[in-house]
Structure formats: structure tokens, C-alpha cells
Amino acid sequence: MPLLELREETVGYNGITVLRELELNIEQGERIALVGESGAGKSTLLNLIHTRLGKTAALVPQELGLVQALSVFHNVYMGRLHQRSVWRNLRNLLKPAKADVDLVMPVLERLRLEDKIFTSVGELSGGQQQRTAVGRALFHPGYILIADEPVSAVDEHQAREILDAITAEKPTVILAMHDRELAIKFADRLIGIRDGKIALDEAASGMTPNDLDDLYRNSDR
Amino acid sequence: MTVRPEPSPLARTTTTFVGIAILCLIFADVAISTVDPWQEFNRMLLGLVTPDFYATDSVALAIAYTLAFALLGVALANVMGLFLALLFFSRIVRTGCAVVRAVHELFWALIFLQMFGLSPLTGVLAIAIPYSGIIAKVYAEILEEANPAPLKTIPAGTSRASAFIFVRMPDVWAHFRSYSMYRLECGIRSSAVLGFIGLPTLGFHLETAFKEGQYSEVSALLILFYLVIATMRIWMKRPLMPVYLIGAAAILPWGVAFSFSNIGRFLTEDIVPHPLRSGAGMEAFWDWLHMMVVDQAVPGTIATVQLTMIALVATGFLTIVFFPLISPLLLGKASRFCGHMFLVVARSTPEYILAFVLLQLWGPSMLPAIVALTLHNGAIIGHLVGRYTETVTLRQDATTGFNRYFYEVLPRVYRPMLALLFYRWEVIMRETAILGILGIATLGFYVDSAFADLRFDRAMLLIGITALLNIGVDAISRSVRTRLRLKTSLEQQ
């Protein structure tokens, strides 16, 4: 049985239709990359998937959703807020407990943020902030990770590191990515979206970036 | 590897201020001295739910006077304030404005009362003068923050006046208009409170009814007061402005005469320190000054600062309790509606009236003043912070309940909240001094006693000290805000 079955005539928000004739199955353990032009509907599809999966999935939204005034520790710790008592959360807000710092630290080491653990997010660079948001999702106990352009603000080397960390921690991963080469390397299944429809859904192995050209060609040609 | 969390500057400042407030609280008298406060409270509650709209003679006239003083005072202050805002580059103008707004409108009213008696001029000027100083500062800030780009695009050689009218004014006009509406609301509150020192506004009837224990009458007066303020945005239409102003000028009893010799004597003799006036020499003057400082200024200042610090920190605490009441991030529509109602009432009630009521209930101590200042200011800042959360969007998978409040919302609003709180510090201090008139031993207490004894030289000295204290707090608040990089553009009302 698939993890998620999507059968939708139309998907949209505020009365605007973004996706049409959606038919999609997602299996446990898949590594999926969503590709397509910006505005094609990748974020809408990710949001739909996240809503359907509910609390079981960790999310890295495109706008990151970090609390700038809090430290990296706090923002990453927030991935497990729902598992802890309010009192423990309050205590950690005022003064991070050693036990929880020890839990968060390995995640940050993976992402090379360990020396920034008690720095407020507002003082970090764009790439560091993006890694913090990924850290929060990795710290989230869910087996599924949904991320919207999680490596857009870091260089290629770091991008690979982050993607490696993600795949090592989470069995099922669904990402939206604009870097085609990276998407083919990372994913085992590619879903291409064009003009609000799924235009491509194939195994990634053996593909080259040029095979995706059709997705990016002008639609009013 | 050892990385230790370091307290942020915000946390350190918070701890310092909380520490100071606790220290102040330890030495504060917060006892309830009335024998049976609950019995009186029950009578008040009973009165509150049985308003009697026919108890006060000439209620309509009292409301009309309240509005008339506010309209004329605020209109005059707008004209003067705009003019002064244009001259705000001058140091003299800036200092002058700082001084006039450091003196509370009730103190101005007490001064003008000596000069013009119960002439309407007293009420109008008591509002117009301090408000000019406030409006000048705010308008100057608005002008400064206006987009500079359009000014560069007008042809070289355009006169400054034309450039101002065509480029600056259209840009800032909306801000001026909304701010002057807010000022009018403040003006109505001030005008009502002026009744407590004898002007024929709502406060006059409120005080009388309270002192006589006519709580049904009090209830009716308060309800009318809230109605006037709540409906302001409906009846206050720009085309009607001239009608209102002419009407206001027409109904006020300008016939009440005042003598110019009185004014002359007040300004040239009464306010000159007694030893100098009677020619007793400099030594006598120094003795007088020493006595004033040791017996009145110092104890008054200590009590004022003490009460201000407690009220400031307590206001901060109450704000973080109040703002969720109207925040769409935390509460549903129905609960938010109730929250709005509560905050509107709490922030529309002048702290002076609140303190007066609580003083009747609990007897003289700092407690009524602390609670009144905290409720009123907590509701104002809580309202602003709650509105601010409307602009915050959380990520889709953000947690709920207390976790959301503490991790997602509070850290995001803490900085703007502190900015507003420090911005309001000076206002709280000004009010604290004034509450002395009710019998709490802040500077206002000594000022009021001096006026009662007709010792105007003492009163003026003490008012001067109060003003200096306010200017000092304003400076400290500004430096704290700069150091913590806290930004409030305007009062954001």
C-alpha cells in the first residue's frame, strides 16, 4: 500500500487553480525530486502532500519559518516541541538543558553549525539560516521529510553535504529543487511539473539534465 | 567542545529592569487600608449594572464641554505642532518642545487656573500647549521618515514651499491625519480628566458622583464617555470639522472674566521664590531652596521614580498576558472579539480615573496607582503588539497552544514590545507624577499642596523638577533603545 495516494481534479488556493488532473502515488522509502519552472506549482504540490501526511512529516518551507530572535539551538529544538511537556519547553527556552543540547548537537555537527549553537538566527547568513531550518526538520522525529528548495542559498559542495545528511536521516524524502543536475544525483524518482500538470514521472537513474529540457521550454511556443 | 549560551543584551536589560522593579516594590507601601473593600466594591458593581442616565443635571452639557475643550485644544495644537515640526531642525525649538511636553496637561491646567481662573482659555491651553510639543515631535519624525526620492525628481529651482506642498505633504498627509485622530482621542480623555481639578467636563461630575457614592450615576457617565470615544471615528468627519470647531467655540462660556493684572502678578511676582520677592537676600533663598529640595523634591522624586519603575515592569508583564487576547495566531474569532472589547475599555479609561476609583476602594497607598497605570498601559501596548502579530505568518507545521505562544510568537514580538514599552516609559512617568494629586506621595502631591496653599513659587519649582525628571527618563529610554537597536517608528497608533 502506498504511503500517500493523491487523486485531485484541481488544487489551488484563494480560488486560483494551480494544479490540474493530479494523480500521484508516493511509496515508503522513495527519494523524490520535484522539478519544473518557478511558478509551475511545485510549492503547491508540496503543501498538499504535507497537509495530507499531517504531523508525521518534517517540513522545510521555502521561507524557512525560523524565529529570528531565538538561537540556533532553540530553532532546531522546535522540531520536537510537540513531544515534550510545556514545562520542559519553557525551561529550555529560558536556559537550554544539557540533555537537550546533547541531542541537538549531533544534528548541528552534521550541518557544520556546531559553533553557532547559541547564536541568534537573526545574526546568521542566508546559507546558515537555511541549514538551521534543515536542522529543525532533521531533529523532527518524523520518517518523512518535505523540503521546498532546501539548498538554494548554499554552494554546491555544501548542498551535497546537506542532501547527504537528509538522506542518511530520513527514509522518505520529497524535495522541490531547481538545480537539475543535483536533483538527478540526489533523487531516485523525478517528478516534473509543467503548466500545472505532471509532465514527467520517471526513475532518475540514467537521466541527464538535458532530458528535463522540455519542462523548461516556453509554453506559448 | 564547550559552547556556553551567553545571555543576550535583551535578556540582560530585562533582568536589570525586573531587578530594579522588585527592589522598588520591596520598599513600596502597597497595603489595602480600607476596612471592608469588598463591600464598597459590591456597591460599585451594583451601580455599574444599574446605570442611571438622569441622575446628573446637564449631562449633555458636560459632554459638550468635554468635546469642546478637546476639539479646540487639539486643533490649536495641530496648527502649532505642524509649524514647530517645520522648525524642528532648530535646537531651541526641539528643547522648547521637550520642555512643554514634559509637563503634564493637568499641571498646565493648574498653572492656567491661577492665571485665567475658570475661563475656557484654561482648558483649551492646558491641552493645546503640551500637545503642541508632542505633535511637533511626531510630525517632525514623520517628515523625516518620508520617502526622500521624490524630492530629487522635481526641477531644480523649485521653491521650498512648492516642493513641500507638492512632494512632501501628499506623502505624509495620511499619517498626519491618522495621528491627529489618535491625538483627539487622547484629548477627549485629557479633557474629561480636567474636570477633576474643577473644569466643567465629565470628570467634574464623575468625581462628585463618586464622592457621594452615587455609583449608578458614575456608571452612566462612564458609559457615555466610552460611547463618545468608541463612536469617534463615525462622527469625526473632515467636512464637519469647521462645524464642530465653530460649535465648540460657541458653547464655551467665554464670558467668564479674567483680569490681566492677575496674570501679570502671577507671572512677575507669585512664581518668584518667596525670599527673593520679599527681599530677604540670597542666603534666605538658599535656605528656602534647601528646604524645598530636602523636604519635598527628594522624597517626591524617589516616590515618583519608584512607582514608575514598578509600573513600567508590571506593564511589560501584563502586555505579554494581554496581547494574545486579540492575536489571530493564538485565539479564534469569538474569543478575540471579547479580548478587543476588554482592551478597548481598559485603554479608554484614563489611568487617573482608574486610580481614583481604586483609591476609593483600597485607601491611600501605591497599590491603586500601580494597578491603574499597569492596566491602562498594558492594554495600550497589548493592543499594539496584538495588532502587530496580525502581520506575522507562521510556518505551516508550527506547533499549537502554549508551545506556539512561547516559541513562535513571544520571541517574535518581544523586541517590538520592548521598544513600545521603553517608548512609553516617559508617558508612565508623567502620569505617575500626576497621580500625586490624588494623595499618593509622588511629585504631583507636593505640587498640588503648594497650589492649595497658594505658594506658587514652590509649585513652579516642583513642576520644573518634574519636567527635568521626564526629560531625563526620555534621554535614558532613547539611549537604551539605541543600544538594543529597538525601533519604533512613531507611536504606531
Side-chain angles (χ1 to χ4, degrees), chain A residues 6 8-9 25 27 48 61 66 69 72 74 87 93 97 103 107 130-131 138 141 193 196-197 201 213:
Chain A
L6 293 174
E8 301 288 329
E9 265 313 301
N25 286 356
E27 305 286 341
L48 179 70
L66 296 168
V72 171
H74 288 119
W87 292 117
L93 188 63
L103 283 176
V107 178
Q130 199 163 43
R131 282 184 272 155
L138 291 183
I193 302 175
K197 283 187 188 169
D201 187 351
D213 278 354

Side-chain angles (χ1 to χ4, degrees), chain B residues 115-170:
Chain B
M115 296 164 68
F116 311 117
L118 281 174
S119 158
L121 214 52
T122 298
V124 173
L125 287 183
I127 293 174
I129 300 244
Y131 278 31
S132 306
I134 300 171
I135 289 175
K137 179 184 164 207
V138 173
Y139 282 10
E141 280 172 10
I142 293 175
L143 285 168
E144 202 177 299
E145 280 173 20
N147 183 6
L151 265 189
K152 293 189 190 131
T153 62
I154 48 170
T158 309
S159 75
R160 281 182 62 163
S162 315
F164 182 78
I165 295 167
F166 271 81
V167 181
R168 268 291 192 254
M169 272 318 242

Side-chain angles (χ1 to χ4, degrees), chain B residues 325-352:
Chain B
L325 298 179
I326 60 162
S327 170
L329 301 179
L330 296 161
L331 284 182
K333 234 187 179 133
S335 323
R336 283 210 312 277
F337 179 76
C338 300
H340 268 296
M341 292 295 282
F342 169 72
L343 289 190
V344 163
V345 169
R347 71 172 193 272
S348 302
T349 316
E351 49 265 79
Y352 193 87

Side-chain angles (χ1 to χ4, degrees), chain B residues 168-187:
Chain B
R168 268 291 192 254
M169 272 318 242
D171 218 14
V172 296
W173 192 244
H175 293 291
F176 284 2
R177 240 180 32 209
S178 76
Y179 186 75
S180 54
M181 279 299 268
Y182 165 67
R183 265 296 126 195
L184 184 61
E185 193 184 319
C186 298

Side-chain angles (χ1 to χ4, degrees), chain A residues 47 69 77-78 89 118 136, chain B residues 3 395-396 403 407-408 411:
Chain A
N47 283 339
Y77 175 78
M78 278 161 83
N89 290 338
F118 295 121
R136 183 186 62 216
Chain B
V3 192
R395 68 196 152 90
Q396 223 184 359
N403 285 333
Y407 271 80
E408 294 278 0

Side-chain angles (χ1 to χ4, degrees), chain B residues 353-426:
Chain B
I353 294 179
L354 263 176
F356 177 81
V357 174
L358 296 172
L359 211 58
Q360 311 293 314
L361 272 180
W362 296 336
S365 78
M366 279 200 179
L367 189 62
I370 295 172
V371 174
L373 288 165
T374 306
L375 261 178
H376 177 78
N377 290 296
I380 288 181
I381 305 179
H383 167 76
L384 294 175
V385 174
R387 293 289 299 275
Y388 171 79
T389 63
E390 288 170 12
T391 65
V392 174
T393 38
L394 299 182
R395 68 196 152 90
Q396 223 184 359
D397 62 339
T399 46
T400 52
F402 279 105
N403 285 333
R404 170 179 288 208
Y405 174 71
F406 285 119
Y407 271 80
E408 294 278 0
V409 184
L410 196 54
R412 286 178 215 260
V413 303
Y414 196 68
R415 189 171 266 278
M417 188 200 89
L418 274 195
L420 289 165
L421 193 61
F422 279 121
Y423 201 93
R424 217 162 166 83
W425 191 1
E426 176 215 13

Side-chain angles (χ1 to χ4, degrees), chain B residues 7 60 64 66 69 74 105 186 224 230-231 242 253 264 317 348 450 474:
Chain B
T66 307
F69 283 126
V74 174
E105 55 263 26
C186 298
L224 288 172
T231 56
F317 272 111
S348 302
D474 195 26

